[in-house]
Each structure stands twice: as structure tokens, then as C-alpha cells.
Amino acid sequence: MKTSIKTFRVILLVFICFYSMAVVYFAFAAFSGQYFTPEKLYRTSFFGDLIKPNFYAYYVFNLLTDIFLIYSLLQLLKITDFFKEQNYFTPKIIRLLKSSGRNFIATALIGVLGTILYNYMFTEHPLERMFMPFIHHFMILILGLGILVIEEIQKRALHIKSENDLTI
Amino acid sequence: MKKLKIIIYILFGALLIGLLVNSIISISGLLFENDILNVGHFTEKDVPFYLKIIAILKLVTLLLFCVGIYYLIKILKMFTQGLYFSNSLEELFRQSGRYLILSGSLGFLLNLTPFIIQDFKYIMYLNFDSKSLYIALTIIGLFFYAFSRIINQGNFLKQENELTI
């Protein structure tokens, strides 16, 4: 048990560190104009008819997706703190699981919006191009719901545990 | 719980359809050189053989993900039968985690291939722009795997509870 939790924690920590650094680096590059911006704006949106404001608007969506993803992963990391101390069933874990699951769902939904926005503005054939990235957001959405399923198990376990403690 | 179950069932159905269409687009593009996404590279020369192999591996990744989610659906079925803690539930979580880890790691490695072979022309057909999502998939798989051990603890608690009664 301890080994799998330890492995999970190490991988999660390394990923969160690298991912956060990458997000900061690319955000800096995007907003300072060094990052690759699309060459042509095919359709105008609420953000005017210049490439840069439209690209920045899309990038904000992208950034939000990353922030939600990092936040939900941090919550998973917090949960493993409890597991490490052998507190397997506590109300705090239930709250963290609920919030993490919801954040994963938010990541997927904002990701979908970002994909729609980008393809609408910067691709000639948006419908065809939009379809492929959708699948990945869909995968994250289902996994977010999977975490909500785990939350239900935790609720049940907490109920049994409190019943047990009362009996003793 | 029932609501969650229905939502996951619907999404799983939609995911299967989505993956099928995704696979058809990838296969028709990279194996049969049919430019559905209007990328415009197919007029130059044939798609390289290694990209065809990568396309097939990508399908394997998606298939592994589907198997992982299939186990998750099985878990949901057990819940509706009131079986919250049992050895089979632990096993189902472990299996689901294992397949998600496999799918996530393979997907991540495949995502790196365009950078290794320096060929970005067909990236749209391989949908290789989401490395972070594949790592997140691996992490959630690991979480499911670790959680299977927690289920074991829950099972122990439940048995203790039943014995006391």
C-alpha cells in the first residue's frame, strides 16, 4: 500500500512541478509575443479583427484549462497526505475528491470552449478540425466523473467507520 | 448515484461513437491517404510507413482507455447492486487503473514521436497536441490503482462492522 501511494505522490509532484513551470513559461512567451501565433484570422469574433487579441483570448481559455488541471491534481496530492498518515476515510477527503472531480470536469468544459474558439477563428475548416481534440477533453470529463464515483465510495466507507466507532 | 451512473453511461456511449469516428478519420487519412481534415499534405507524396504504425498504436491507446472505462462502468454496476466493498471491487479498481496507466503512458510516448522524427505535417490526424492530458490520464490511473488498496481497508472495516452486529 505504502509503495503505490509513494510512487503516486512522486509522479504527481514531478508532473505538477514541470507542468507549472511549462505553463508559466508558455504564458510569458505567448503574452510577450514570442510564442507562435496563427498566421491568418479566418473569422472575426467578439475580440475584433486583429490576430493578436483573438489569439490572446483563446490563450486565456488555454491558461484556465491548465490552472484548473493543476489545481485538481494538487487536491489529489493533498488526499495522499491523508493516506500517508493512514487516515483513509475522513470528511476532508470527501470534500477534496468532490472538488477535484468538479475541477476535472471544468478543465474538460473550458478546454472544449477553447478548442471551439481557436478553430472558429484560426482554421479554414473548423468543423473537421474541431472533432479530433474534442476526444481528449471528453476523456478528462469521464475521468472527472470517475473521481466523483470514488467520492461516493468514501461517503459510504465513512458511514460504516463512524458506525463502527460508535459500537466500540 | 443513479444520476451519476446515467451520465457516465451516456458519456461512455458518446465516447465510443467519438472514438470510432476519430479512428475512421485517422485510418482513412494515414492508411488510405484520404484528406478528410483538409490538411493538404497528401498531394506531395505517400504517408511514411512509420506514421502508419504510429496511427495503429494510437488506436491501441484509445482502445486501452475504453477498457479502463469499461471497468469503471462495471464498478458502477456493483454500486447499484449495493456492493460497496468487496474483493472484486478492489480488483476492478486495480484493473481500471492498470489500463488507464497503460493508455496514458503509451499516449504520452506517442505524443513525443513527432518531435523525435521531426515530422509535424500529419500531427492533426494523430491528434498529438495533448501531452499533458495523457499524463493526467496516467496520474488518474495511478490514483485508481492506489485507491484499490483503500477499498481493501474499507472491506476490512465492513467485515468488522458485520461481525459486531
Side-chain angles (χ1 to χ4, degrees):
Chain A
M1 160 93 98
K2 270 190 176 169
T3 333
S4 58
I5 289 173
K6 235 181 186 174
T7 318
F8 176 68
R9 277 179 66 85
V10 171
I11 294 176
L12 194 51
L13 255 173
V14 171
F15 175 62
I16 290 173
C17 289
F18 276 108
Y19 195 56
S20 309
M21 283 193 289
V23 168
V24 172
Y25 171 74
F26 281 111
F28 177 73
F31 291 110
S32 61
Q34 298 162 31
Y35 191 65
F36 165 77
T37 44
E39 287 162 2
K40 199 173 168 186
L41 183 71
Y42 286 93
R43 285 162 210 90
T44 51
S45 67
F46 306 115
F47 312 103
D49 49 5
L50 292 170
I51 293 180
K52 271 199 172 168
N54 282 296
F55 177 69
Y56 289 157
Y58 153 73
Y59 204 82
V60 168
F61 273 93
N62 202 15
L63 209 59
L64 275 175
T65 312
D66 292 333
I67 290 167
F68 271 102
L69 187 64
I70 290 171
Y71 186 57
S72 45
L73 291 176
L74 277 174
Q75 281 168 323
L76 287 186
L77 190 70
K78 244 185 192 175
I79 291 169
T80 56
D81 281 341
F82 288 95
F83 289 168
K84 221 173 76 182
E85 291 157 12
Q86 298 194 324
N87 288 326
Y88 301 117
F89 308 107
T90 64
K92 183 90 183 148
I93 292 179
I94 295 173
R95 273 200 296 276
L96 283 169
L97 280 170
K98 194 176 193 172
S99 163
S100 177
R102 282 181 178 176
N103 284 330
F104 270 112
I105 294 170
T107 304
L109 295 179
I110 297 170
V112 167
L113 285 178
T115 306
I116 293 174
L117 196 67
Y118 183 86
N119 286 291
Y120 173 75
M121 295 186 299
F122 300 115
T123 58
E124 200 179 351
H125 308 280
L127 274 178
E128 293 98 316
R129 293 291 181 92
M130 245 180 250
F131 184 77
M132 300 295 263
F134 268 1
I135 289 295
H136 285 157
H137 300 305
F138 215 74
M139 284 156 105
I140 292 291
L141 180 70
I142 291 185
L143 290 175
L145 289 170
I147 289 179
L148 291 181
V149 169
I150 291 183
E151 182 221 337
E152 288 290 328
I153 303 176
Q154 279 279 341
K155 266 186 199 164
R156 190 79 193 171
L158 188 68
H159 176 72
I160 294 173
K161 190 178 167 254
S162 52
E163 220 172 53
N164 252 8
D165 292 344
L166 279 174
T167 318
I168 294 160
Chain B
M1 190 57 165
K2 211 176 171 186
K3 225 162 73 183
L4 195 64
K5 189 185 147 196
I6 293 167
I7 292 171
I8 292 186
Y9 271 8
I10 293 169
L11 285 178
F12 185 63
L15 179 77
L16 284 181
I17 296 166
L19 289 182
L20 193 73
V21 179
N22 191 312
S23 310
I24 291 169
I25 293 174
S26 290
I27 289 173
S28 66
L30 294 171
L31 300 187
F32 300 108
E33 293 165 29
N34 200 350
D35 194 7
I36 297 174
L37 299 179
N38 297 304
V39 175
H41 297 306
F42 293 97
T43 46
E44 292 173 14
K45 54 179 178 180
D46 288 350
V47 177
F49 182 70
Y50 58 80
L51 276 178
K52 293 184 180 186
I53 301 282
I54 292 172
I56 292 167
L57 283 175
K58 186 204 146 192
L59 296 184
V60 173
T61 308
L62 295 178
L63 202 71
L64 286 171
F65 176 78
C66 275
V67 177
I69 298 298
Y70 170 72
Y71 280 113
L72 193 68
I73 299 244
K74 265 189 159 179
I75 291 167
L76 273 173
K77 245 185 193 169
M78 286 189 77
F79 286 169
T80 46
Q81 290 163 359
L83 299 165
Y84 285 94
F85 297 102
S86 64
N87 290 335
S88 46
L89 188 72
E90 186 190 339
E91 188 54 34
L92 285 176
F93 259 109
R94 194 174 301 146
Q95 289 291 351
S96 178
R98 230 176 247 165
Y99 281 103
L100 290 179
I101 293 168
L102 271 175
S103 165
S105 349
L106 186 63
F108 177 69
L109 289 175
L110 287 176
N111 262 263
L112 294 178
T113 49
F115 295 97
I116 297 166
I117 54 187
Q118 288 293 312
D119 191 350
F120 300 95
K121 273 194 296 190
Y122 304 99
I123 201 165
M124 188 51 80
Y125 276 95
L126 293 166
N127 202 8
F128 281 171
D129 55 350
S130 30
K131 287 167 274 303
S132 58
L133 292 182
Y134 276 112
I135 297 179
L137 196 69
T138 313
I139 285 169
I140 294 173
L142 274 168
F143 185 72
F144 279 13
Y145 193 83
F147 194 77
S148 69
R149 309 294 170 98
I150 311 290
I151 293 281
N152 191 21
Q153 286 290 322
N155 201 7
F156 174 72
L157 267 178
K158 192 184 157 236
Q159 279 170 2
E160 212 173 60
N161 200 17
E162 280 166 359
L163 278 174
T164 320
I165 292 160

